[in-house]
Amino acid sequence: MAIIINGKKIANEILENLKEKTAKLDKKPGLAVILANDNDSSKVYVSSKEKHSLYLGFKSCIYRFDKKVTQGELIKAIHELNENPNINGILVQLPLFEHLNANEIIEVINPKKDVDGFHPINVGKLNSNLNPWAVCCTPKGIIKLLKKYNIKIAGKNIVIVGRSNIVGKPLATLLTSEDATVTLAHSKTKNLKSITKEADILISATGHAKLIKANMVKKGAVVIDVGITKQPSGKLVGDVDFEKVKNIASYITPVPGGVGPMTIACLMENTYELYLKQNQ
Ligand code: NAD
């Protein structure tokens, strides 16, 4: 049976280390989160970000907007945060209300405060191996998990299912820089099984529950499950048929308790690192 990768434990180690380092600072790192959406998942994610920030001793401000908010009002709020010396990281919780243009709003964030690494300047820097101000949290967390478990990346065939701007694409870039041979599959990929079967490391980020079945996984492969789907019962499940795939894989992440906690730990780490860079 596969070794179950304990993302929660590794994330807690990162958080405890950050808490210790933060306690030694006179001025504390500040994270601002913009919430302009009334969906329940976004509210839960934002509260969790606030809870973790406060636990570490960061300053945390959530800016909540209702449905009537205009594009101009959000842009103005971001300009103010860009100028606020107490704020080191700015995060716009996605998705936004439908009438808002997320791409335009993200472009207004000062790239030096872009804690999610979504600003086009940071995406461009990542793609050019030019040290972005911050690297997207979920891909960064996945690389940390692989390294913590001494899973070799260089030379491996890695298949990522899902090509979003926040997970699949930046993860492909990071893994390519680590000398892996990366295949990026998506909803229009033909014969997905024949591709996933070749993976030494298979990473799924689709939000399609149980998409990855046991017969799609090579024996001994490392399986990383990014997906989170809430079932009608309220239970959270991943993209991978965990109970069956764990008998074939060599390592596997659970949902919850795998990639999710690493994303939040990396967000906190990014806030701390932006603080240091802005105070050099
Ligand atoms: P998205 O919805 O923007 O994109 C999904 C991707 O999956 C697309 O590229 C699509 O082509 C692909 N896809 C969908 N169905 C597919 C199928 N049947 N076969 C092959 N490819 C398919 O996704 P996202 O924002 O990257 O999120 C993906 C999932 O990861 C969601 O469940 C989300 O909740 C979760 N997520 C988890 C974390 C975490 O920290 N654990 C972070 C971000 C996203």
Side-chain angles (χ1 to χ4, degrees), residues 21-175:
K21 290 195 286 195
T22 303
K24 294 182 190 138
L25 299 173
D26 294 333
K27 195 177 160 231
K28 306 300 177 193
L31 175 65
V33 178
I34 297 212
L35 176 62
N37 183 345
D38 54 11
N39 92 39
D40 288 339
S41 305
S42 292
K43 285 183 196 159
V44 171
Y45 291 142
V46 165
S47 308
S48 166
K49 286 164 189 173
E50 182 179 41
K51 193 184 84 187
H52 282 84
S53 300
L54 295 175
Y55 174 72
L56 298 183
F58 292 1
K59 285 187 291 284
S60 171
C61 320
I62 302 182
Y63 295 80
R64 293 184 171 83
F65 294 88
D66 65 23
K67 258 199 189 100
K68 283 185 246 147
V69 67
T70 63
Q71 183 82 359
E73 283 164 343
L74 268 194
I75 288 175
K76 183 167 172 277
I78 291 175
H79 278 306
E80 284 168 11
L81 291 169
N82 284 342
E83 298 304 320
N84 183 340
N86 295 319
I87 295 298
N88 308 104
I90 303 169
L91 180 156
V92 176
Q93 183 67 40
L94 299 176
L96 296 172
F97 289 122
E98 265 181 29
H99 65 281
L100 299 167
N101 177 339
N103 287 338
E104 187 187 53
I105 284 167
I106 285 166
E107 266 195 79
V108 178
I109 299 174
N110 177 346
K112 296 182 181 178
K113 292 191 175 187
D114 168 35
V115 72
D116 260 336
F118 292 167
H119 190 285
I121 287 190
N122 285 321
V123 175
K125 279 174 171 279
L126 184 75
N127 283 313
S128 316
N129 279 335
L130 285 176
N131 283 332
W133 293 95
V135 173
C136 314
C137 305
T138 304
K140 184 178 177 183
I142 292 170
I143 304 268
K144 277 183 190 284
L145 277 184
L146 294 172
K147 291 192 171 171
K148 195 78 188 174
Y149 277 79
N150 293 319
I151 294 165
K152 206 173 155 227
I153 298 173
K156 297 293 177 186
N157 272 337
I158 303 189
V159 175
I160 305 170
V161 189
R163 59 175 161 185
S164 72
N165 288 340
I166 65 168
V167 185
K169 282 193 216 159
L171 184 56
T173 303
L174 287 171
L175 291 167

Side-chain angles (χ1 to χ4, degrees), residues 217-259:
V217 178
K218 180 165 87 173
K219 192 157 177 49
V222 174
V223 178
I224 306 290
D225 193 350
V226 184
I228 305 174
T229 307
K230 199 172 189 176
Q231 293 197 313
S233 64
K235 191 181 170 214
L236 296 181
V237 296
D239 287 0
V240 176
D241 186 352
F242 182 85
E243 286 309 318
K244 302 226 169 81
V245 172
K246 74 174 193 242
N247 299 320
I248 292 163
S250 57
Y251 291 85
I252 189 166
T253 57
V255 176
V259 174

Side-chain angles (χ1 to χ4, degrees), residues 182-229:
V182 181
T183 305
L184 200 48
H186 47 77
S187 52
K188 299 280 192 296
T189 296
K190 296 209 171 84
N191 203 354
L192 183 62
K193 180 179 153 189
S194 70
I195 294 169
T196 57
K197 263 280 199 196
E198 293 298 313
D200 302 314
I201 302 176
L202 174 59
I203 305 172
S204 187
T206 71
H208 186 125
K210 295 199 177 174
L211 172 72
I212 306 297
K213 312 254 185 294
N215 66 1
M216 297 169 77
V217 178
K218 180 165 87 173
K219 192 157 177 49
V222 174
V223 178
I224 306 290
D225 193 350
V226 184
I228 305 174
T229 307

